[in-house]
Amino acid sequence: MSTASATRGVNVTAAGVLELLERGRTLSTPVLRSAVERLAPPMDTVAAYHFGWIDAAGRPADGDGGKAVRPALALLSAEAAGVPPEVGIPGAVAVELVHNFSLLHDDLMDGDEQRRHRDTVWKVHGPAQAILVGDALFALANEVLLEQCTVDAGRATRRLTVATRKLIDGQAQDISFEHRERVTVEECLEMEGNKTGALLACASSIGAVLGGASDSDADALEEYGYHLGLAFQAIDDLLGIWGDPAATGKQTWSDLRQRKKSLPVVAALAAGGSASEQLGELLAADAKNPETGAFSEEEFALRAALIEEAGGREWTSQEARRQYATAIAALDKMDMPDEIQRKLVGLADFVVVREK
Amino acid sequence: MSTASATRGVNVTAAGVLELLERGRTLSTPVLRSAVERLAPPMDTVAAYHFGWIDAAGRPADGDGGKAVRPALALLSAEAAGVPPEVGIPGAVAVELVHNFSLLHDDLMDGDEQRRHRDTVWKVHGPAQAILVGDALFALANEVLLEQCTVDAGRATRRLTVATRKLIDGQAQDISFEHRERVTVEECLEMEGNKTGALLACASSIGAVLGGASDSDADALEEYGYHLGLAFQAIDDLLGIWGDPAATGKQTWSDLRQRKKSLPVVAALAAGGSASEQLGELLAADAKNPETGAFSEEEFALRAALIEEAGGREWTSQEARRQYATAIAALDKMDMPDEIQRKLVGLADFVVVREK
């Protein structure tokens, strides 16, 4: 075994990463689809719409089901533990189910009308279906894992449950931050660790757990995934303000519209200086006004420019790199095949350079 | 061991049943409270309000936490398997958590404003908190069970997960029925079996599973709980139309207001005859009118009278007795101490005579 820092130079090509993502999708989708087909009507149809398998009229579609980073990680983690990637499939599917449960509920709570370039489920099928199908996907996640009556399936379910609770804690913190005038950078990182880090940590270790990895090996993989999640989220926060709507499928200034106290915002507010102060005054005034939905493009552009001027954009970009480095370093804590380690590094590279 | 039919004459007194409910509450509530305290703010507070531990202003309260039939059953099921009742505690708590997760979400989906004589969570804390805290309680349920890393904890979680999925299926069916003109009695029973039977089945067996009971013994207890759940729901359907609001804490004609196709309604519609036909015409007209919320008391009273005249009330009352008898008969499929069997019969008696 070589160390991650030594392997860092030996890049997996972009094509290699796409292959890993494709493998994750190919191996997990049939199991995911057969799980979703178990749902009672109309939940099966609503879920199929959410996953992009059918359109709003019920016609077969080949929608954007997301990047599928999590399934790719789950299968790689099985290989990191020295078992075939297929061992990680129930874990990959369970994590995807939990991820999509949270998307369904979060879109409703946040009032988001678009996801993956399509209307969100609550918008098409109503709030009750968004709640119900979310609940059903969460339950299915446990069902898929516990179909194997093994001690490792129990361990995996336990880790997934803890991750899911953190995910929910993170969403609760995220919502509460929208109603607060000030949020510290530390609070924001904690929230993002819960909301994004925990489930990516689980995705990065669940295949290994199903393959009988020791707790300390699973913890090392979780650490990689947790910090990768924080890097991923930092990029997401940048895209949430400066992302290209054509690429992200979200509105311009999406996070500003929702008054999200995301990393660029809290970092800018913490930075001090005149742009930071002006931003603080504007946001404080916004907080007293429930009608920011009526803001003009110029008003959002001004806030974005102040965040950038105060250094929030640059700090977040550096933070993504710091979290990436911590993720990569964690891989050295586990003895795994060099080739798998390089692939995990390659996936991390992919996560921090994405544009959507 | 004597048979359930032989023990049926030896009644557990009403005081004995209240003692069983009290024991369930006393043993499970501290574990439930400490689980809920793990939630991130403000979810801990919102959950404490839902459980009746604090009022809407956050002051300590001693609210009506429900009848606590499920915890009592979980502890008894442990004893049925020959282990101390305490073995069933994590099961009792997990089932209560799942039950309350479903109440939080169902109240929001159904637009119910009152539960247990208090405003519902979505009414006091908003829809987002009702969704989030429901999700969190569901996750906590698995967490509480899987804290013990045993094969039996995995078996129990698996059964709870299957029950939860049925519960969600049942709610989906219930919602879809409100939009349909006709629902058969069989469809209604299937929906109620999912919505109420499945979780009571789990409550009635989970302590035994945690105590290492065989699958066939667990299945016998599930069968008892499933049919007890159907008896419970038949009574609930009667109370949903003819219950005393002072006792139930719900509005008068609660189920009619929500156009629920509950058992008395579907049985009345299936009965034929002039009252049945008149009811059918009225409900068909109602279905085209979204504004039944504006109906007068007299309009609901007319529908209730027609349901009764068509025999829907009497049929449902008999159905409760049939389901009760099936539940009791299932107890003979498992070898358990006579005293425990009598107690399970006593709890079943309590369920079918309740007024709220």
Side-chain angles (χ1 to χ4, degrees):
Chain A
M1 189 200 80
S2 57
T3 65
S5 39
T7 57
R8 214 178 299 171
V10 190
N11 284 339
V12 174
T13 62
V17 169
L18 292 180
E19 213 171 274
L20 286 172
L21 295 173
E22 187 54 33
R23 181 182 75 168
R25 214 180 274 119
T26 306
L27 289 179
S28 64
T29 303
V31 181
L32 182 64
R33 289 186 82 134
S34 85
V36 165
E37 278 163 15
R38 287 182 219 160
L39 300 180
M43 293 189 294
D44 51 352
T45 307
V46 175
Y49 171 77
H50 170 75
F51 283 108
W53 304 329
I54 57 174
D55 67 15
R59 289 175 300 239
D62 191 18
D64 174 8
K67 290 170 289 291
V69 170
R70 292 171 193 79
L73 286 169
L75 303 190
L76 272 178
S77 82
E79 293 181 290
V83 298
E86 288 76 10
V87 172
I89 294 176
V93 172
V95 167
E96 275 305 89
L97 286 165
V98 166
H99 174 57
N100 283 283
F101 136 72
S102 80
L103 296 181
L104 279 163
H105 284 189
D106 289 1
D107 284 343
L108 173 59
M109 286 184 259
D110 297 341
D112 284 339
E113 301 188 354
Q114 290 270 312
R115 163 155 321 265
R116 298 170 187 158
H117 305 271
R118 310 160 81 223
D119 284 341
T120 46
V121 163
W122 70 267
K123 189 86 180 136
V124 176
H125 296 281
Q129 291 300 325
I131 296 171
L132 263 181
V133 175
D135 293 345
L137 297 186
F138 184 6
L140 269 184
N142 294 317
E143 216 174 297
V144 165
L145 272 184
L146 290 167
E147 255 151 28
Q148 311 171 40
C149 264
T150 63
V151 172
D152 288 330
R155 288 171 68 214
T157 310
R158 193 181 181 188
R159 282 181 184 256
L160 180 64
T161 294
V162 170
T164 308
R165 263 244 296 124
K166 287 187 181 164
L167 181 74
I168 297 163
D169 279 358
Q171 171 69 359
Q173 291 165 325
D174 198 13
I175 289 177
S176 75
F177 289 177
E178 287 166 39
H179 302 291
R180 279 169 51 183
E181 205 176 298
R182 285 277 162 144
V183 172
T184 66
V185 171
E186 291 67 31
E187 286 174 320
C188 187
L189 286 172
E190 188 199 326
M191 178 274 281
E192 298 196 339
N194 282 331
K195 197 167 169 176
T196 308
L199 194 61
L200 221 59
C202 186
S204 304
S205 59
I206 197 165
V209 174
L210 289 171
S214 68
D215 281 337
S216 65
D217 279 353
D219 289 344
L221 287 167
E222 280 211 357
E223 193 180 333
Y224 157 84
Y226 182 81
H227 292 283
L228 183 59
L230 279 168
F232 181 98
Q233 189 57 51
I235 305 287
D236 221 56
D237 285 356
L238 291 169
L239 295 173
I241 299 179
W242 296 281
D244 175 4
T248 62
K250 294 179 180 172
Q251 285 184 287
T252 52
W253 327 116
S254 162
D255 285 357
L256 297 181
R257 286 177 201 278
Q258 287 169 23
R259 308 166 180 226
K260 287 217 182 282
K261 301 283 190 303
S262 63
L263 273 184
V265 178
V266 298
L269 290 173
S274 71
S276 172
E277 278 163 29
Q278 198 188 335
L279 178 71
E281 283 159 22
L282 272 177
L283 297 184
D286 293 354
K288 296 190 182 91
N289 171 13
E291 293 304 327
T292 47
F295 274 17
S296 68
E297 290 297 294
E298 286 69 27
E299 285 169 297
F300 288 121
L302 169 63
R303 283 155 183 75
L306 287 170
I307 294 167
E308 185 157 1
E309 199 182 327
R313 187 175 188 171
E314 179 53 28
W315 186 89
T316 304
S317 184
Q318 285 175 6
E319 177 66 11
R321 286 192 286 274
R322 281 190 292 270
Q323 295 291 350
Y324 166 89
T326 311
I328 300 303
L331 294 176
D332 285 340
K333 299 185 184 177
M334 178 179 173
D335 194 3
M336 69 176 82
D338 283 353
E339 187 203 345
I340 303 307
Q341 188 157 345
R342 276 196 300 275
K343 288 178 175 172
L344 288 167
V345 172
L347 267 178
D349 291 342
F350 169 78
V351 161
V352 291
V353 300
R354 74 204 168 92
E355 284 172 1
K356 65 173 188 171
Chain B
M1 189 199 81
S2 57
T3 65
S5 40
T7 55
R8 211 178 301 170
V10 192
N11 284 338
V12 174
T13 61
V17 169
L18 293 180
E19 214 170 273
L20 286 172
L21 295 174
E22 186 54 33
R23 181 182 73 169
R25 214 180 274 118
T26 306
L27 290 180
S28 64
T29 303
V31 180
L32 181 64
R33 289 187 82 134
S34 85
V36 165
E37 279 162 14
R38 285 183 221 161
L39 300 180
M43 294 191 293
D44 52 351
T45 308
V46 175
Y49 172 77
H50 170 75
F51 284 108
W53 304 330
I54 57 173
D55 67 17
R59 290 175 299 239
D62 191 16
D64 173 8
K67 290 171 287 292
V69 170
R70 292 172 193 78
L73 286 169
L75 302 190
L76 271 178
S77 82
E79 293 181 289
V83 298
E86 288 76 10
V87 172
I89 293 175
V93 172
V95 168
E96 275 305 89
L97 286 165
V98 166
H99 174 56
N100 284 282
F101 136 71
S102 79
L103 295 182
L104 279 163
H105 284 190
D106 289 2
D107 284 344
L108 174 59
M109 287 185 257
D110 297 341
D112 285 338
E113 301 187 354
Q114 290 269 312
R115 164 157 321 267
R116 298 170 187 158
H117 305 271
R118 311 160 80 224
D119 283 341
T120 46
V121 163
W122 70 267
K123 189 90 179 131
V124 176
H125 296 280
Q129 290 300 324
I131 296 172
L132 264 181
V133 176
D135 292 346
L137 297 186
F138 183 6
L140 269 184
N142 294 317
E143 215 174 298
V144 165
L145 272 184
L146 289 168
E147 256 152 27
Q148 310 171 41
C149 265
T150 64
V151 172
D152 289 329
R155 289 170 68 212
T157 310
R158 194 181 180 190
R159 283 182 184 254
L160 180 64
T161 294
V162 170
T164 307
R165 264 244 297 125
K166 288 187 180 166
L167 181 74
I168 297 163
D169 279 358
Q171 171 69 359
Q173 292 166 324
D174 199 12
I175 289 176
S176 75
F177 290 178
E178 287 166 38
H179 303 290
R180 278 168 52 181
E181 205 176 297
R182 284 280 161 140
V183 172
T184 66
V185 171
E186 290 68 32
E187 286 175 320
C188 186
L189 286 172
E190 188 198 325
M191 178 274 283
E192 298 195 340
N194 282 332
K195 196 167 168 175
T196 309
L199 194 62
L200 221 60
C202 186
S204 303
S205 58
I206 197 165
V209 174
L210 289 171
S214 68
D215 281 336
S216 65
D217 279 353
D219 289 344
L221 286 168
E222 280 211 358
E223 192 180 333
Y224 157 84
Y226 183 81
H227 291 285
L228 182 58
L230 279 168
F232 181 97
Q233 189 56 51
I235 304 287
D236 221 55
D237 284 356
L238 292 169
L239 296 173
I241 300 178
W242 295 282
D244 175 5
T248 62
K250 294 181 181 171
Q251 284 184 289
T252 51
W253 326 116
S254 161
D255 285 357
L256 297 182
R257 286 178 201 278
Q258 287 170 22
R259 307 164 181 227
K260 285 217 182 282
K261 301 284 188 306
S262 64
L263 274 185
V265 177
V266 298
L269 289 172
S274 70
S276 172
E277 279 164 28
Q278 199 187 334
L279 179 72
E281 285 159 20
L282 273 177
L283 296 186
D286 293 354
K288 297 190 183 91
N289 171 12
E291 292 304 327
T292 47
F295 275 16
S296 67
E297 290 298 292
E298 286 69 28
E299 286 169 295
F300 287 122
L302 169 62
R303 282 156 184 73
L306 287 170
I307 294 166
E308 185 156 3
E309 200 182 324
R313 185 175 189 171
E314 178 55 27
W315 186 89
T316 304
S317 183
Q318 285 174 7
E319 177 65 12
R321 286 191 285 276
R322 282 190 291 270
Q323 295 291 352
Y324 166 90
T326 310
I328 300 304
L331 294 175
D332 286 340
K333 299 184 184 178
M334 177 180 174
D335 193 3
M336 69 177 81
D338 283 354
E339 186 204 346
I340 303 306
Q341 187 156 346
R342 277 197 299 274
K343 287 178 175 171
L344 287 167
V345 173
L347 266 178
D349 291 342
F350 168 79
V351 161
V352 292
V353 301
R354 76 206 168 90
E355 283 173 1
K356 66 171 188 172

